[in-house]
Amino acid sequence: MNGQMMQLPLLISSLIVHAERHHGQQVVVSRRVEGDIHRETYRELGARARRLAKALAALGVGDSDRVATLAWNGYRHMELYYAASGSGAILHTINPRLHPDQIEYIAGHAEDRVLCFDLTFLPLVQAVAGRCPTIRHYVAMTDRAHMPASTTIPNLLCYEDLIESQDDRYTWPVLDENQASSLCYTSGTTGNPKGVLYSHRSTLLHTYGGALPDALNCGSADCILPVVPMFHVNAWGLPYMACMVGAKLVFPGPGLDGKSLYELFEAEQVTLSAGVPTVWQGLLAHVDAHGLKFSSMKRTVIGGSACPPAMLRKFGDEYGVQVIQGWGMTEMSPLGTVGTLKLKHLGLDREQRYRVMEHQGRVIYGVDMKIVSQDDLHGPELPWDGEHAGDLLVRGPWIASRYFKDEGGDPLVDGWFPTGDVARIDADGYMQITDRSKDVIKSGGEWIGSIDIENIAMGHPEVAMAACIAAKHPKWDERPLLVVVRKPGSELTRAQLLAYFEGKIAKWWTPDDVVFVESIPIGATGKMQKNRLREQFRDYRLPTA
Ligand code: AMP
């Protein structure tokens, strides 16, 4: 016998409809690329998203067509989140920090139809425009007064003109909740970047799960400032959660330095924020240097890379801000675990509580996890004793089952997604990342593909073998270190090899240092044993510029 409840699909458009109807006066504040602060209510944002949905349709954007963005966190980007996904198209957020060649690859692979971009990225878009044959329309996310006087982009459209061209009489279509809503590429694994294709259903379930008190704890009395970019796993879902709970939203635009962020936190009385550790270092340096305090901030979610234990304590002890560590990945929408305390921990002293919170956290409902031996991912689950470390596998309705266009084949292991992280889990279910089995470097919360770097190094006529590994860095958490075997007789220097990278790779991907060695360990399958290299260079001190 079936239940007799209404069959309403879980759709992204329902979030903005709810925010408009029930929190219509709540505001979304944005620092704009144009330099000023913009305010609009959810009612205005919803109406503009409907006008934009009509404008996209008028441009020929149809069901499941990809609408790409290269944009900061701001209200126009949020309007696109709802206009594109809500109308049945797929929002494809592109990371502007990637090299133009990678952007060209991603836009082509995704078969983007429209590309909307903030003016900051005009030079980048000009560099790729001629190389992206699938893109039919380019839209500058600004008003007529700020449109570039001259550009090489053909028929550049103005965002505000598009909005002006339509009225807001539009009804969001009733889609199948399993329809694709958004697409995000990750370079977190080997080879080319791979697309993770979210659905309306997965997004809505993630929004419910992520807003819970033991997760990001979002409520209508909150003022949320997502520092984590909207091009990085949908700003961890906060633009959706804010609409679900009716919270005030504050978008920092391009102003991600400590001073700009602090000013916005105070001016808008932000209560909850989220971002990678590097951002908080900048903010803490600014408040420390000027003897400032946070007058409204209660909680901040730190994830994307391990939160340094000292940061946890500094925020808590000196500024009265609770740090919640979160762990997840693009393939997980991204939330997996959150480091909130259980009832049993409340009686502990402060230091013992911090020790629990240093873990990456425990799963939120909707996610399950297990650890297995690195040698046999199909093998039995390892015990949750806080000691055994193994490869971390996850599953749940907001976790990817494959990559866009089946790139890389079936990633699942017996129905579980292998995260590429190595972890321990304790008896209370708190997970701690101890290492990574995937071969990548995470610098300031953004991926650097070691394979690309190795391929370039191997292209140098005097390099016999090259391995790129992550080395610890005080500011960026990790930076690339290149370990090189020279060809016999070669006197190649560090400076010569680093100069060879110029123009071939985004500048911030260039290795921080090069070490020349006699040999690189090779495993039974003929692959370089980078885990042994990582071990060898565990305490390597990179030169600090
Ligand atoms: P991304 O797909 O870019 O969000 O990156 C996901 C990866 O970042 C994870 O698989 C981890 O390797 C790493 N990561 C994310 N959050 C944390 C955290 N709190 N601590 C340590 N590593 C993390």
Side-chain angles (χ1 to χ4, degrees), residues 100-377:
D101 290 350
Q102 287 174 311
I103 293 181
E104 176 194 343
Y105 170 82
I106 289 173
H109 190 269
E111 298 173 62
D112 293 332
R113 288 275 173 274
V114 179
L115 174 62
C116 306
F117 62 94
D118 272 334
L119 285 180
T120 319
F121 306 116
L122 179 67
L124 182 58
V125 177
Q126 290 187 153
V128 297
R131 301 193 257 147
C132 298
T134 63
I135 301 180
R136 300 202 189 116
H137 302 284
Y138 290 88
V139 180
M141 292 162 67
T142 188
D143 54 22
R144 180 103 326 253
H146 291 87
M147 283 296 280
S150 71
T151 168
T152 54
I153 303 168
N155 307 319
L156 181 61
L157 299 170
C158 168
Y159 183 93
E160 291 299 330
D161 284 358
L162 286 184
I163 298 233
E164 280 302 307
S165 69
Q166 305 290 335
D167 61 40
D168 66 2
R169 284 192 298 279
Y170 176 80
T171 308
W172 298 109
V174 180
L175 309 167
D176 179 338
E177 65 181 17
N178 290 303
Q179 182 161 334
S181 60
S182 20
L183 178 64
C184 204
Y185 278 73
T186 175
S187 34
T189 41
T190 51
N192 279 322
K194 295 185 184 67
V196 179
L197 191 61
Y198 309 104
S199 69
H200 285 262
R201 175 187 154 81
S202 72
T203 304
L204 266 277
L205 293 176
H206 179 264
T207 308
Y208 275 117
L212 285 173
D214 267 3
L216 303 194
N217 189 6
C218 305
S220 58
D222 273 312
C223 173
I224 307 176
L225 187 151
V227 183
V228 50
M230 290 168 79
F231 56 76
H232 202 145
V233 220
N234 303 319
W236 298 347
L238 287 167
Y240 303 120
M241 291 172 206
C243 280
M244 179 175 272
V245 303
K248 176 178 170 183
L249 258 178
V250 182
F251 287 127
L256 300 176
D257 59 290
K259 181 172 183 289
S260 308
L261 282 177
Y262 179 79
E263 283 169 6
L264 211 50
F265 277 126
E266 288 303 300
E268 299 301 332
Q269 292 288 286
V270 171
T271 59
L272 169 64
S273 189
V276 296
T278 312
V279 164
W280 304 123
Q281 272 176 15
L283 182 70
L284 283 175
H286 176 75
V287 289
D288 271 354
H290 297 86
L292 304 168
K293 293 274 172 229
F294 295 102
S295 65
S296 57
M297 229 218 330
K298 295 195 198 107
R299 305 182 301 286
T300 182
V301 186
I302 300 187
S305 293
C307 172
M311 186 177 279
L312 199 79
R313 288 168 177 74
K314 194 173 179 70
F315 262 119
D317 294 343
E318 294 180 32
Y319 295 103
V321 176
Q322 184 201 355
V323 167
I324 308 166
Q325 175 152 204
W327 166 87
M329 58 197 303
T330 308
E331 291 88 335
M332 299 176 69
S333 299
L335 291 177
T337 64
V338 182
T340 44
L341 298 176
K342 290 183 172 178
L343 184 61
K344 68 183 279 190
H345 299 124
L346 298 186
L348 298 178
D349 67 35
R350 187 181 272 256
E351 185 48 34
Q352 288 169 318
R353 288 205 302 259
Y354 279 139
R355 259 186 254 131
V356 178
M357 291 160 71
E358 281 174 17
H359 290 80
Q360 270 69 21
R362 56 197 167 87
V363 291
I364 55 177
Y365 170 78
V367 176
D368 195 6
M369 67 179 171
K370 66 174 181 178
I371 42 173
V372 292
S373 160
Q374 283 173 263
D375 302 324
D376 180 14
L377 297 191

Side-chain angles (χ1 to χ4, degrees), residues 409-449:
D410 181 359
L412 301 190
V413 179
D414 306 328
W416 293 75
F417 185 88
T419 63
D421 288 319
V422 178
R424 290 192 286 253
I425 305 176
D426 72 14
D428 289 318
Y430 285 81
M431 182 273 285
Q432 185 143 38
I433 306 259
T434 57
D435 198 2
R436 216 182 268 150
S437 58
K438 58 192 170 195
D439 192 12
V440 282
I441 298 149
K442 206 161 202 201
S443 173
E446 301 279 357
W447 291 117
I448 296 178

